[in-house]
Amino acid sequence: MPSKIVTSEKNADIDGSAPGKRHPANAGTASFLYRSIRDLLAEKIETQRFPPGTILKEGSIAVQLGVSRAPVRRALTMLYDEGAIRAADGQGYIVGTATPVPMSTRRLHEILVSQSDDIGRSATWERIYAEVSNVVMSSMPFGTYRIQEEELGHYHQVSRTVAREVLWRLMDRRLIEKNRKSHWIIGQMTASDIRETLEMRQLLEPRALGHVAHSLDHEWLGQLATRIAEAIEAFPEGGKAALEDIEADMFTTMYARLRNARMLSSIERNQISLIVPRLFRQHFPIRDDLPAMKEYAQIVHHLRTGSVEVAQVLLTNHIVRIEQLTLARLRVLSELSPPQSAPYLIAIH
Amino acid sequence: MNTDKLKVIGTSVTLNEKLRRAAARDLPFEIEFEILNGVDCQRRGIMSPESFDIYDQWFHSLDLLWTAGSIQPVEVAKIDRWNHIGLPAGSSPGAPGHMRSNKAHGFGTRPTDVLFIQDDMTLGSATTPLIAMLPTTYNADSFAYMADAAAGLGVEMPESWAWLLDESWHGKCTLSKDPASSTVELALAARSAGLVDIEDPGDLSIEDIDALFEILAARQRTGHFAKLWASSEDSIRLMSGPSCVLGSLWSPAYYAIRGMGRKLTYAAPREGYRGWQSGLSLSAALPAEKLEMAYAYLNWWLDGVPGAIMARQGYYMSVTEPVRANLSPAEWDYWYEGLPASDDLPGLSAPIVVRKGEQREGGSHKERVERVAVWSTIMPEHNYLVRRWREFLDIRN
């Protein structure tokens, strides 16, 4: 199952332009990829390996890096927004303000691939990140675990360096921590973690929604509204999958174009409350999710009609309301046995 | 599922032999009783609603069953004696008089806190026509001990929950395996013994839980606790044998051991009792064609006969008048009024469990319930707590 997640997530990324169906656990991966590419390109620009005037094209960069076009497109958009590159009419982008200078495929290959292993390494950690992050999140309600770095590497047939890179990324998202003995620890998710992160979500997400509201794709919002309406209509027969796709869009894809990277990573770090319903729904009915669906419908409606402030208030209310239910569901998870543990995890308690 | 037979799950203390026979005699349909220990029954209720029609268990477990979608609402309009129901702590449905403040803090789960199904589908105390569980029997619990042994050990009075952790009783102490009751008791014990600084024994923080389990694990490793019990029968075996002289105990077990002629004292701890309320819920999977039988069974529970059976093991009932009519005056006076027994009194397992002249510890029904310090509860940090609890149990396994 985990490998399936990786595949589907890759596919989503290849197919998907910005907003599309995406699993919440995988969203971080996708965003990491475009950010890695952005960082790589920025570094090449800064060190003048891409001198001013270099023409950068989405397609050829994607081919050289062996990734899909979507994350490259997004990386280029970011650099454009930052003012590092400018648009060339239908010809991709141009570095700086100098006169355009085409770059040969061979030179591009040298710069992007031969002179750098950054993206190669990133692509490797990228390959297993979603799976490891899924294992970590699914373990959180069940106890405290230690992750063995070397075993993680063995299990995924990657070097210890790559395993460590994955773990650092997980720590960056506050999914794991390092203890005094420098062991990687998955701490047990507590009710107070849920309360604290929901309080942060109340502060961050309505604000983020305000930032991205005007750049949201109307067609995408329309499709989302339709899917929510269908899920409400069919409730509860639509099942948990439709619901989870909608939540991934509401809470991940929605903020994907947020320019404030600090805010975006804070949001990602504080979304552990979304893990609880996902695990809950694997075993128990979705009866209590209908009010949330109706709230999502209202939020999307107001985004579509431009009443952003109303959408923000509704989002705040939703996050406030969901606390009690999330905590109650976490208590119900007490009846579940821990999932079969990955070989690189050791239960501490 | 068979549509002409009602399937009830519960523990041996409510679904005891006397009650099962009375139900078979009084009700015009077949009932299958499945007896489980407390923890297993709660788990079954949460995980497998299709395996039962009626769930006979603790009110505090409603938090889990209702959230898990395992039970369906009970319509109060179909409960004949609904208007006669009185809940402990003066918190009768709709009545404003609670024993202390109305704030649900510091009490654990009071029965009224989770009784009514609110418009937003949560459980709460505001009156609505739908309830999650029909309140039946309840009690104020503590622990029991061999008074001779206590004197021999030089244990100082008054009785205190702290005794559960007192080294004097090393190796001779037992507890229930149910974390919802035991952790409340142990939190009271550790606080009273001055071992931890706990603000609310009914709502332990992560820090409280860690501190408490450090103490418990140390005692468990050195063998302070003898075996823990899962069912009333287990506790009877433990407390009537040589291995335990002190233990948290339900009153049916206490009176059963008394009926064996053992001298055992039920404590009225200075910190107060641990309260609990039981009741009956309808499975979410209960088919409409069995609803009539289910309500007949629920109504029968309030008719007086079950209440009298419960009284003879020390339990109170939510509707008392019909219980009184089914008890002798001597029984009523001892069990409910806390008066000295005017005669020898029968129990469920023995012809005499109370001797003439004896008086119930803690006094009358009203006095005992007013001295409930904390109700058994599913705390906010229940998931964390339960996993620490299982770890604690595993230390000696």
Side-chain angles (χ1 to χ4, degrees):
Chain A
M1 171 177 164
S3 61
K4 224 165 129 190
I5 287 173
V6 172
T7 316
S8 65
E9 184 265 325
K10 290 284 188 195
N11 288 340
D13 206 40
I14 289 162
D15 306 339
S17 47
K21 283 191 182 184
R22 201 172 284 139
H23 198 278
N26 306 326
T29 315
S31 55
F32 282 139
L33 183 57
Y34 76 74
R35 269 188 250 163
S36 299
I37 296 168
R38 179 244 161 244
D39 292 348
L40 176 71
L41 298 178
E43 189 256 333
K44 302 302 177 197
I45 293 168
E46 207 170 295
T47 57
Q48 299 225 345
R49 286 207 186 82
F50 287 154
T54 307
I55 297 175
L56 298 177
K57 291 182 183 171
E58 178 184 305
S60 46
I61 294 172
V63 169
Q64 291 305 326
L65 294 177
V67 299
S68 64
R69 291 171 73 123
V72 176
R73 190 183 314 142
R74 230 192 286 183
L76 289 169
T77 310
M78 285 173 87
L79 290 168
Y80 171 75
D81 289 341
E82 292 162 19
I85 55 177
R86 68 181 201 270
D89 292 339
Q91 293 292 313
Y93 296 88
I94 302 156
V95 176
T97 50
T99 321
V101 185
M103 180 172 275
S104 71
T105 307
R106 188 172 161 186
R107 180 75 188 129
L108 187 68
H109 177 83
E110 268 175 24
I111 294 169
L112 283 183
V113 185
S114 311
Q115 293 180 9
S116 162
D117 65 349
D118 288 358
I119 201 72
R121 204 174 78 204
S122 300
T124 315
W125 71 256
E126 157 86 12
R127 178 170 65 77
I128 64 171
Y129 179 86
E131 182 176 342
V132 180
S133 132
N134 199 43
V135 166
V136 166
M137 288 196 285
S138 306
S139 307
M140 290 174 85
F142 300 99
T144 304
Y145 298 86
R146 182 183 154 197
I147 305 177
Q148 295 174 286
E149 194 177 280
E150 196 166 355
E151 294 299 320
L152 174 64
H154 286 321
Y155 181 72
H156 285 289
Q157 299 181 315
V158 296
S159 70
R160 198 162 172 168
T161 314
V162 171
R164 196 175 298 143
E165 174 124 23
V166 169
L167 295 170
W168 277 113
R169 303 277 168 171
L170 290 168
M171 190 158 90
D172 184 48
R173 288 194 65 184
R174 299 286 296 269
L175 292 173
I176 61 174
E177 60 194 18
K178 262 187 174 245
N179 69 4
R180 275 172 301 180
K181 292 179 189 165
S182 211
H183 292 156
W184 299 100
I185 301 295
I186 307 172
Q188 182 171 352
M189 183 197 294
T190 65
S192 86
D193 292 334
I194 298 288
R195 277 194 294 261
E196 287 174 12
T197 53
L198 280 172
E199 190 177 358
M200 292 306 292
R201 288 187 60 193
Q202 274 177 53
L203 295 174
L204 292 165
E205 293 189 26
R207 182 110 186 156
L209 191 64
H211 289 326
V212 296
H214 297 292
S215 61
L216 292 171
D217 184 310
H218 269 260
E219 196 181 327
W220 175 74
L221 274 178
Q223 287 163 0
L224 180 56
T226 308
R227 278 161 50 217
I228 296 170
E230 284 168 0
I232 292 173
E233 178 73 20
F235 198 89
E237 264 65 48
K240 64 187 172 78
L243 212 141
E244 282 172 8
D245 278 348
I246 290 165
E247 292 198 333
D249 277 353
M250 289 299 299
F251 301 115
T252 306
T253 319
M254 189 72 83
Y255 310 126
R257 282 175 178 253
L258 190 62
R259 298 223 188 117
N260 182 337
R262 285 184 176 82
M263 187 183 278
L264 183 58
S265 64
S266 294
I267 288 173
E268 289 169 348
R269 282 207 297 268
N270 284 293
Q271 286 187 333
I272 60 164
S273 58
L274 296 173
I275 298 169
V276 174
R278 255 176 52 208
L279 291 169
F280 178 89
R281 290 174 194 137
Q282 287 174 11
H283 301 271
F284 304 104
I286 58 176
R287 179 194 68 192
D288 293 332
D289 287 309
L290 186 56
M293 299 306 280
K294 291 180 175 169
E295 286 159 1
Y296 303 154
Q298 283 300 307
I299 292 167
V300 172
H301 168 77
H302 287 285
L303 287 173
R304 293 179 74 198
T305 54
S307 334
V308 179
E309 281 174 22
V310 180
Q312 288 175 294
V313 170
L314 290 169
L315 177 60
T316 308
N317 293 347
H318 165 75
I319 297 170
V320 169
R321 188 190 63 80
I322 211 75
E323 179 175 307
Q324 201 185 348
L325 179 64
T326 309
L327 291 173
R329 286 176 162 184
L330 177 64
R331 295 193 289 274
V332 172
L333 295 185
S334 66
E335 289 296 331
L336 301 181
S337 306
Q340 196 176 8
S341 171
Y344 50 83
L345 293 187
I346 300 176
I348 297 175
H349 48 246
Chain B
M1 195 180 267
N2 190 338
T3 53
D4 46 43
K5 186 164 74 173
L6 198 65
K7 179 156 184 191
V8 181
I9 62 168
T11 67
S12 61
V13 290
T14 50
L15 306 183
N16 61 49
E17 191 50 35
K18 286 256 183 348
L19 182 115
R20 291 152 70 181
R21 275 199 228 140
R25 183 194 64 212
D26 294 347
L27 292 164
F29 46 83
E30 198 184 338
I31 306 175
E32 183 189 329
F33 293 96
E34 186 177 354
I35 309 294
L36 298 161
N37 73 45
V39 171
D40 288 350
C41 184
Q42 177 177 302
R43 185 178 169 75
R44 175 81 78 78
I46 295 162
M47 302 301 292
S48 314
E50 68 292 340
S51 72
F52 61 89
D53 297 318
I54 307 273
Y55 171 79
D56 178 339
Q57 255 286 43
W58 307 313
F59 250 68
H60 62 261
S61 67
L62 286 176
D63 173 60
L64 303 175
L65 268 89
W66 181 253
T67 305
S70 307
I71 50 175
Q72 57 175 291
V74 173
E75 290 178 53
V76 299
K78 293 183 178 168
I79 302 301
D80 302 337
R81 296 182 193 271
W82 175 249
N83 292 325
H84 300 276
I85 287 184
L87 289 183
S91 53
S92 307
H98 290 293
M99 66 173 168
R100 295 179 211 172
S101 80
N102 208 10
K103 203 165 132 236
H105 180 74
F107 304 110
T109 306
R110 295 175 302 184
T112 42
D113 292 337
V114 290
L115 179 60
F116 293 101
I117 298 165
Q118 307 295 305
D119 293 342
D120 65 358
M121 294 293 275
T122 60
L123 301 181
S125 57
T127 309
T128 70
L130 301 175
I131 52 174
M133 181 174 255
L134 177 68
T136 56
T137 189
Y138 63 95
N139 205 0
D141 278 8
S142 69
F143 57 89
Y145 62 100
M146 304 286 177
D148 296 348
L153 294 168
V155 177
E156 282 181 29
M157 297 303 248
E159 294 153 341
S160 165
W161 285 107
W163 290 9
L164 292 179
L165 297 171
D166 192 321
E167 298 289 344
S168 311
W169 306 91
H170 182 88
K172 297 183 183 314
C173 174
T174 184
L175 301 167
S176 160
K177 280 188 176 171
D178 168 37
S181 58
S182 283
T183 44
V184 163
E185 296 178 354
L186 290 163
L188 285 169
R191 184 169 74 174
S192 233
L195 299 170
V196 288
D197 186 18
I198 286 173
E199 193 197 333
D200 181 353
D203 181 2
L204 302 179
S205 68
I206 295 294
E207 293 73 22
D208 292 340
I209 294 169
D210 286 345
L212 181 62
F213 278 85
E214 199 171 314
I215 294 162
L216 297 179
R219 277 174 175 65
Q220 180 80 318
R221 275 191 287 270
T222 59
H224 176 82
F225 301 107
K227 279 186 155 176
L228 271 67
W229 52 267
S231 66
S232 183
E233 290 70 27
D234 277 358
S235 70
I236 292 170
R237 272 191 294 276
L238 276 167
M239 285 297 290
S240 62
S243 53
C244 293
V245 293
L246 170 88
S248 175
L249 207 63
W250 294 349
S251 84
Y254 171 71
Y255 286 101
I257 297 169
R258 293 278 308 241
M260 297 171 183
R262 309 274 172 142
K263 282 189 79 176
L264 194 63
T265 303
Y266 207 73
R270 60 184 171 86
E271 300 86 1
Y273 292 99
R274 174 185 55 79
W276 59 268
Q277 168 83 51
S278 257
L280 305 169
S281 289
L282 307 177
S283 165
L286 177 72
E289 58 269 27
K290 288 171 92 170
L291 271 174
E292 203 176 317
M293 282 159 70
Y295 277 102
Y297 181 75
L298 264 54
N299 278 309
W300 174 76
W301 254 91
L302 304 182
D303 269 357
V305 170
I309 294 170
M310 293 299 116
R312 293 187 185 109
Q313 56 179 3
Y315 285 0
Y316 306 121
M317 269 301 281
S318 56
V319 179
T320 48
E321 282 314 307
V323 177
R324 188 171 191 162
N326 280 276
L327 292 174
S328 70
E331 287 178 313
W332 176 263
D333 286 349
Y334 175 84
W335 295 113
Y336 273 83
E337 301 296 347
L339 298 171
S342 57
D343 213 338
D344 290 348
L345 301 180
L348 298 187
S349 56
I352 300 172
V353 295
V354 175
R355 297 279 171 188
K356 185 175 175 177
E358 285 176 345
Q359 199 168 357
R360 195 168 184 183
E361 110 292 334
S364 69
H365 158 248
K366 186 169 176 288
E367 289 167 318
R368 293 183 79 249
V369 170
E370 275 178 358
R371 292 203 57 238
V372 167
V374 191
W375 295 84
S376 293
T377 190
I378 303 294
M379 302 182 192
E381 294 288 5
H382 181 73
N383 181 51
Y384 185 81
L385 174 76
V386 160
R387 296 183 193 280
R388 297 304 303 267
W389 177 254
R390 288 177 195 151
E391 193 182 48
F392 162 72
L393 294 182
D394 282 344
I395 291 176
R396 295 281 299 282
N397 280 348

